[in-house]
């Protein structure tokens, strides 16, 4: 019996530990090592829409155009197709090599020609598609309604374009989170990953320039994800995956108890190496023994808000009680 067996987005996984899109999922050697370490599924390195646009712009800046009005379209399509072809080659090789589910990942910011890529990935053998979807709400002209409509339009078209499961990885920039998650679920997605962790900017005050902030999550960054999965997982007919700040088996256990079907590992693998997944798997089994759990289903969703005798502790009232000096927990 495999005690860690679980399901996510209609797929059977040998473990709830999955490898998020990262440089570690960009080549076969690392993918094989991840499977051997006990990873239950892998999300291949993303195809980034913004990166492709940046590369095509850089290529065009170095050319005069030669008087051809269609040159910009040609080069943009050439660079996009090159990136897509490389991703599909990796997918094809991964499907021949691995026995665990393989997700392809697309990082996009707008409606476009990405549905063709999704269909091609399905034809090559992808088990599922994960849309890493983020639109920075930085334009004062865009209302929250406008932005959410764009998200939903992309999701609906993607779901309609393929027959494999479609999952979406979201950030925290939504005013009515649970309502929006319901609308996302209604689009037909099979999985929702909470939350994406963005590369932040920082300031070098001596050089007076913008620099990248630390790229990796810390072990205390899981709390926002924990709350929203606990609030949402039991309410919606979609599977949730937890991401960001997951560095230990204890945090994995908490996320699953909140209602997550799987967890995505990234920073811990980048910082500590693939061996961290093997250690986490062993530690999770030990923790399950201590808690008397013989399977993942024994504790999945056990601490979701819907099952709580006091749902208010999952919301802001807990903070008010703390400030008022109440001893209630």
């Amino acid at each position: 019996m495999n005690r860690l067996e679980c399901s996510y987005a209609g797929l059977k996984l040998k473990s709830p530990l999955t490898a998020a899109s990262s440089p570690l999922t960009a080549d076969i050697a690392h993918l094989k090592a991840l499977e051997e370490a006990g990873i239950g599924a892998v999300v291949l390195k993303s195809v980034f829409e913004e990166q492709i646009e940046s590369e095509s712009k850089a290529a065009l800046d170095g050319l005069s155009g030669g008087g051809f009005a269609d040159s910009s379209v040609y080069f943009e399509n050439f660079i996009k197709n090159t990136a897509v072809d490389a991703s599909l080659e990796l997918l094809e090789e991964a499907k021949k090599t691995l026995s665990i589910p393989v997700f392809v990942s697309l990082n996009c910011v707008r409606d476009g020609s990405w549905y063709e890529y999704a269909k091609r990935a399905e034809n090559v053998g992808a088990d599922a598609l994960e849309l890493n979807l983020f639109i920075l709400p930085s334009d004062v002209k865009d209302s929250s309604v406008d932005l959410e409509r764009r998200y939903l339009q992309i999701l609906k078209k993607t779901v309609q374009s393929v027959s494999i499961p479609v999952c979406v990885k979201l950030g925290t920039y939504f005013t009515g989170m649970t309502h929006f998650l319901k609308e996302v679920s209604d689009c037909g997605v099979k999985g929702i990953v909470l939350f994406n962790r963005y590369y932040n900017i920082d300031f070098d005050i001596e050089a007076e320039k913008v620099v990248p902030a630390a790229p990796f999550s810390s072990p205390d960054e899981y709390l926002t994800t924990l709350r929203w999965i606990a609030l949402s997982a039991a309410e919606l007919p979609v599977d949730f995956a937890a991401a960001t700040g997951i560095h230990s088996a204890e945090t994995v256990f908490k996320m699953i108890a909140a209602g997550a079907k799987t967890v995505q590992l990234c920073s811990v693998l980048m910082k500590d190496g693939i061996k961290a997944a093997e250690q986490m798997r062993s530690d999770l089994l030990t923790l399950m023994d201590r808690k008397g759990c013989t399977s993942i289903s024994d504790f999945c969703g056990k601490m979701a808000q819907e099952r709580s005798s006091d749902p208010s502790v999952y919301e802001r009232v807990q903070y008010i009680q703390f400030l008022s000096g109440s001893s209630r927990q």
Side-chain angles (χ1 to χ4, degrees), residues 278-297:
E278 189 172 353
Q279 184 63 53
M280 196 175 292
R281 182 182 185 278
S282 176
D283 291 346
L284 180 59
L285 286 168
T286 299
L287 181 55
M288 288 170 62
D289 286 338
R290 181 163 65 82
K291 298 293 293 181
C293 300
T294 60
S295 69
I296 294 294
S297 61

Side-chain angles (χ1 to χ4, degrees), residues 250-287:
E250 288 78 9
T251 304
V252 172
F253 192 96
K254 290 178 182 181
M255 291 298 185
I256 295 174
K261 295 297 182 68
T262 64
V263 299
Q264 287 196 356
L265 308 180
C266 184
S267 291
V268 67
L269 300 178
M270 296 293 293
K271 291 167 65 176
D272 299 336
I274 291 175
K275 66 181 185 300
E278 189 172 353
Q279 184 63 53
M280 196 175 292
R281 182 182 185 278
S282 176
D283 291 346
L284 180 59
L285 286 168
T286 299
L287 181 55

Side-chain angles (χ1 to χ4, degrees), residues 9 35 39-40 59 72 103 161 186 205 207 266 296 309:
E35 180 177 20
I39 288 294
S72 61
F103 289 60
S161 69
D186 290 343
I205 59 175
C266 184
I296 294 294
S309 60

Side-chain angles (χ1 to χ4, degrees), residues 227 311-323:
R227 166 173 284 182
S312 67
V313 300
Y314 289 73
E315 302 180 24
R316 188 170 180 261
V317 64
Q318 187 176 23
Y319 179 65
I320 296 173
Q321 291 162 354
F322 172 76
L323 287 183

Side-chain angles (χ1 to χ4, degrees), residues 1-318:
M1 174 185 175
N2 177 10
R3 297 173 59 200
L4 295 181
E5 187 174 280
C6 61
S7 64
Y8 172 65
L11 301 171
K12 187 175 180 180
L13 277 61
K14 68 179 184 180
S15 166
L17 307 178
T18 64
S21 172
S22 78
L24 290 177
T25 61
D27 66 80
I28 291 298
H30 283 125
L31 291 170
K32 289 174 63 177
L34 287 165
E35 180 177 20
E36 292 168 1
I39 288 294
V42 293
V43 184
L44 298 185
K45 185 71 170 66
S46 288
V47 176
F48 281 82
E49 179 184 8
E50 289 175 298
Q51 180 180 354
I52 290 173
E53 290 183 346
S54 176
E55 290 176 355
S56 62
K57 182 179 184 302
L60 287 170
D61 287 344
L63 298 172
S64 65
F68 293 99
D70 294 335
S71 61
S72 61
V73 175
Y74 170 81
F75 279 105
E76 181 178 353
N77 287 336
F78 175 80
I79 292 171
K80 178 185 291 186
N81 289 333
T82 299
V84 167
D85 288 346
S87 176
L88 293 175
E89 288 174 8
L90 175 63
L91 167 63
E92 187 172 22
E93 191 173 359
K95 287 300 298 177
K96 291 177 181 178
T97 306
L98 307 178
S99 61
I100 57 178
V102 179
F103 289 60
V104 294
S105 176
L106 173 60
N107 193 305
C108 57
V109 295
R110 60 177 60 85
D111 194 5
S113 60
W114 298 106
Y115 313 111
E116 179 186 349
Y117 167 74
K119 190 63 181 178
R120 290 179 64 188
E122 177 181 27
N123 292 337
V124 171
D127 294 291
L129 171 68
E130 180 180 285
L131 287 181
N132 194 328
L133 191 55
F134 176 54
I135 305 169
L136 186 67
S138 58
D139 192 329
V140 296
K141 297 188 297 294
D142 288 335
S143 70
S144 59
V145 173
D146 293 333
L147 291 172
E148 290 176 10
R149 186 181 296 118
R150 286 163 61 186
Y151 276 92
L152 299 174
Q153 181 180 33
I154 293 172
L155 288 173
K156 287 176 182 177
K157 285 188 177 181
T158 304
V159 169
Q160 292 169 359
S161 69
V162 295
S163 58
I164 58 175
V166 175
C167 304
V168 60
K169 194 169 190 176
L170 298 170
T172 56
Y173 291 89
F174 300 100
T175 53
M177 179 64 73
T178 50
H179 176 75
F180 181 65
L181 292 177
K182 180 184 182 303
E183 290 191 302
V184 168
S185 174
D186 290 343
C187 288
V189 301
K190 299 300 183 183
I192 298 176
V193 187
L194 302 181
F195 285 106
N196 202 341
R197 185 178 189 274
Y198 308 113
Y199 288 108
N200 289 315
I201 64 166
D202 199 354
F203 289 165
D204 182 332
I205 59 175
E206 300 303 327
E208 297 185 2
K209 66 178 182 180
V210 178
V211 295
F216 300 128
S217 70
S218 61
D220 62 350
E221 289 186 51
Y222 73 91
L223 295 171
T224 298
T225 298
L226 184 72
R227 166 173 284 182
W228 284 107
I229 287 182
L231 287 170
S232 307
E235 296 285 342
L236 301 175
V238 64
D239 290 343
F240 281 82
T244 299
I246 301 172
H247 291 251
S248 69
E250 288 78 9
T251 304
V252 172
F253 192 96
K254 290 178 182 181
M255 291 298 185
I256 295 174
K261 295 297 182 68
T262 64
V263 299
Q264 287 196 356
L265 308 180
C266 184
S267 291
V268 67
L269 300 178
M270 296 293 293
K271 291 167 65 176
D272 299 336
I274 291 175
K275 66 181 185 300
E278 189 172 353
Q279 184 63 53
M280 196 175 292
R281 182 182 185 278
S282 176
D283 291 346
L284 180 59
L285 286 168
T286 299
L287 181 55
M288 288 170 62
D289 286 338
R290 181 163 65 82
K291 298 293 293 181
C293 300
T294 60
S295 69
I296 294 294
S297 61
D298 285 346
F299 64 99
C300 185
K302 187 176 183 179
M303 296 190 70
Q305 185 194 39
E306 192 173 77
R307 296 188 180 182
S308 174
S309 60
D310 188 1
S312 67
V313 300
Y314 289 73
E315 302 180 24
R316 188 170 180 261
V317 64
Q318 187 176 23

